[in-house]
Amino acid sequence: MAGALWMVLAAVSFGLMGVFVKLGAATLDAVALVFWRTLFAVLLLGGVALLRRQRFATPQLGRHLKRGLIGYTSLLAYFHAISHLPLSTAVTLNYTSPMFLALLSVLLLKEKLSRHALLALLLGFVGVTLLLRPTFDGAAWQAGLLGLGSGLLAGWSYLHVRELGQAGEAEWRTVFYFALISTLGGGLLLLGRPWQPLTAANLPWVLGLGATATVAQLAMTRAYKVGRKLLVANLSYLTVVFSALFGALLWQQRLGVGELLAMALIIVSGILAGRR
């Protein structure tokens, strides 16, 4: 139950994070948005850790590095998708992660794939195909593929989050090292690029992005540590619902029958995957 409640909080926060990404994308690209988002977390979590005299040293540095690199690449692809697609579409593509989590659990952890899981993957594939169809008919096909790729990488990243939790790693250190690795990666990518300054117009969006992302990351990490892996992963689909509501309220992004059907299939696939 505790894991479920933490994931609900994470879903709300991730939905709000998408709103701030879309607002900030008017003046900042995905690389800059990821940089500021993760720098916020590094300063906040690092500052709190110093005040509490917590230890930064960890025997899990290798796992943190793997998780950080995979998670950073996923975040870049996700922010690009949000910037160029309707919010609910980008979020749904990213939240194919539970479907990929089930698949990767079989491929990497040698878990058994049941009939429910096979049906889940089939429904998820159909849903993704329906959802991506409009992007391939238009000019946003690249953003659509990157959105789907972010879901695959996020599912892979969650496996490492689970391993870190099972190894007894503190949640704040898991989030801190992810943010630190992502900030360093973003800083390297920003070198040699035209500087995109923070202004009075985009600073509120960057601060909102940093705050909601940090809360979401902490809540998600806690959920995977104390909750059942696939149950928690299924509840992450609530972010799709919140994002659809935010998109409709803020940008009048209405969902057609095909999009609703696609989202429903992807959500059902996650539920079935959780029963395996």
Side-chain angles (χ1 to χ4, degrees):
M1 184 63 178
L5 293 175
W6 280 111
M7 184 50 81
V8 171
L9 174 60
V12 175
S13 301
F14 277 128
L16 289 172
M17 184 192 78
V19 170
F20 287 117
V21 169
K22 203 156 188 70
L23 292 169
T27 56
L28 299 169
D29 65 15
V31 175
L33 285 169
V34 171
F35 174 79
W36 291 116
R37 170 253 189 268
T38 55
L39 179 61
F40 183 98
V42 168
L43 296 176
L44 177 62
L45 295 174
V48 171
L50 287 172
L51 288 174
R52 294 182 176 179
R53 297 184 178 180
Q54 292 174 310
R55 289 171 52 102
F56 288 89
T58 173
Q60 306 296 331
L61 195 58
R63 286 178 174 172
H64 281 297
L65 183 59
K66 291 178 183 178
R67 193 265 169 164
L69 292 174
I70 296 169
Y72 175 61
T73 306
S74 173
L75 202 57
L76 273 180
Y78 184 36
F79 279 22
H80 181 86
I82 291 176
S83 301
H84 295 85
L85 295 173
L87 181 60
S88 57
T89 300
V91 170
T92 303
L93 289 172
N94 178 259
Y95 277 79
T96 55
S97 56
M99 181 180 76
F100 287 117
L101 179 62
L103 180 60
L104 290 170
S105 294
V106 174
L107 296 177
L108 301 180
L109 303 181
K110 308 304 180 183
E111 295 182 3
K112 187 177 179 181
L113 194 64
S114 67
R115 292 180 180 178
H116 286 123
L118 284 170
L119 179 59
L121 293 176
L122 177 61
L123 290 176
F125 176 76
V126 173
V128 167
T129 301
L130 288 174
L131 195 61
L132 282 177
R133 184 176 177 181
T135 69
F136 283 112
D137 291 340
W141 62 270
Q142 185 180 37
L145 286 180
L146 286 173
L148 183 61
S150 74
L152 168 61
L153 292 170
W156 191 5
S157 176
Y158 293 157
L159 284 180
H160 290 287
V161 171
R162 179 170 176 256
E163 288 179 353
L164 285 165
Q166 291 177 336
E169 187 69 317
E171 291 94 336
W172 77 267
R173 261 201 308 264
T174 297
V175 179
F176 174 79
Y177 277 106
F178 163 67
L180 179 62
I181 292 167
S182 297
T183 301
L184 293 175
L188 289 174
L189 288 180
L190 287 173
L191 291 177
R193 295 162 56 93
W195 179 245
Q196 301 172 58
L198 294 181
T199 65
N202 60 34
L203 182 60
W205 314 140
V206 170
L207 292 176
L209 168 60
T212 53
T214 301
V215 170
Q217 198 71 38
L218 286 168
M220 183 272 292
T221 302
R222 183 69 175 176
Y224 274 97
K225 182 174 182 179
V226 303
R228 293 174 54 195
K229 178 185 64 174
L230 290 176
L231 172 62
V232 167
N234 291 337
L235 287 175
S236 69
Y237 281 120
L238 288 173
T239 303
V240 175
V241 177
F242 293 126
S243 298
L245 292 174
F246 294 148
L249 289 172
L250 297 174
W251 294 285
Q252 290 74 54
Q253 295 173 348
R254 308 300 176 184
L255 299 175
V257 175
E259 292 168 314
L260 288 172
L261 176 60
M263 291 178 181
L265 287 173
I266 291 172
I267 291 172
V268 170
S269 78
I271 294 172
L272 288 175
R275 294 175 59 188
R276 65 190 182 87

